[in-house]
Amino acid sequence: MRLKVTKFLVTFLMVAALMLGGCSTQQVSSSTSSPAGTATETSNTTTTEATPVPETTSESIPGMSNLPRLEGKATVVMTVKGSPITIEVDGTNAPITAGNFVDLVQKGVYDGLAFHRVVREPQPFVVQGGDPQGKDPKFPAGRLGTGGYIDPKTGSERYIPLEIKPKGADQPIYSKTFEMAGVTTSPELTHKQGAIAMARSQMPDSASSQFYFALADLGFLDGNYAVFGYVTQGFDVVNKIQQGDRIDSAKVTQGAENLKVPQ
């Protein structure tokens, strides 16, 4: 019994740490909130389902047609402290999430940004970055984790819906965790070591630009957060990242033609 309780407490503390690092109270609509770390869903977040959405289609989600989409796969090379990390971005199973990431890479959003949260104790968890506020060297490090990408066309923060494809399904489920949607299968893209996924607040549709690398197999996050690719080379570089380290650059090296950006 003591071992089970200890394991539960470790898991709880890790997820809590991921949430506390960057929650903001901004609410932009009935179905979105500001981006931050990740957390398990609680009963007070289910109010985000105000607009019914078909679980296997995206056409009814407001703003979906205005988001970038990756139709296929792409390769991104992210350089940290002079060393490359190669990421295969999977738009086949997560077209909106992958498209958002590749579009931000193409725009240079991630260049120079800091990794503001690194959790390795009590056991390997995540390395998280992608807050554009980190571009400003004077921005307080303790407040990183509260920002997202501001679209210059609208002057507002770009949010993307939670997008997770069940194994064997034709389409992803949008705006719902698997628990909320009653899905009992595993996702196509799981939180195995080396996964890259979108960070968000408790609201399902609050991801923007922040992402995290899984430092270990994190199956307890499957069905709750959107994995969109995997590190294929350079995981040793990810393992050496320390809080405060910055991304030298991020470049799309293959598959740029698969990115479809609304005009």
Side-chain angles (χ1 to χ4, degrees), residues 103-214:
D103 182 55
L104 296 182
V105 169
Q106 293 279 55
K107 287 178 165 57
V109 170
Y110 294 116
D111 296 352
L113 296 190
F115 289 98
H116 60 271
R117 184 176 302 122
V118 177
V119 183
R120 289 193 172 93
E121 299 295 338
Q123 60 193 57
F125 189 35
V126 300
V127 169
Q128 184 175 331
D131 184 343
Q133 296 173 121
K135 290 271 190 183
D136 181 358
K138 296 182 180 179
F139 190 84
R143 289 178 55 196
L144 288 176
T146 60
Y149 171 66
I150 304 298
D151 189 336
K153 292 183 179 180
T154 64
S156 300
E157 194 160 331
R158 178 202 284 175
Y159 295 97
I160 60 172
L162 179 62
E163 176 185 54
I164 310 175
K165 186 177 179 181
K167 196 169 187 62
D170 292 331
Q171 298 289 334
I173 288 175
Y174 291 93
S175 302
K176 296 180 181 181
T177 65
F178 275 18
E179 182 179 4
M180 293 164 66
V183 176
T184 57
T185 60
S186 63
E188 286 284 358
L189 303 178
T190 62
H191 280 82
K192 64 182 181 181
Q193 185 184 66
I196 182 171
M198 292 303 291
R200 62 176 178 81
S201 71
Q202 291 186 9
M203 296 294 203
D205 294 345
S206 57
S208 180
S209 61
Q210 291 186 48
F211 65 91
Y212 59 90
F213 291 114

Side-chain angles (χ1 to χ4, degrees), residues 207-253:
S208 180
S209 61
Q210 291 186 48
F211 65 91
Y212 59 90
F213 291 114
L215 295 178
D217 293 344
L218 305 175
F220 59 90
L221 296 180
D222 287 346
N224 289 288
Y225 306 102
V227 174
F228 60 91
Y230 296 97
V231 173
T232 57
Q233 296 181 44
F235 184 72
D236 58 320
V237 180
V238 176
N239 255 336
K240 295 175 183 176
I241 293 174
Q242 300 296 319
Q243 191 162 309
D245 286 351
R246 292 185 178 271
I247 300 169
D248 300 331
S249 66
K251 306 293 182 184
V252 180
T253 59

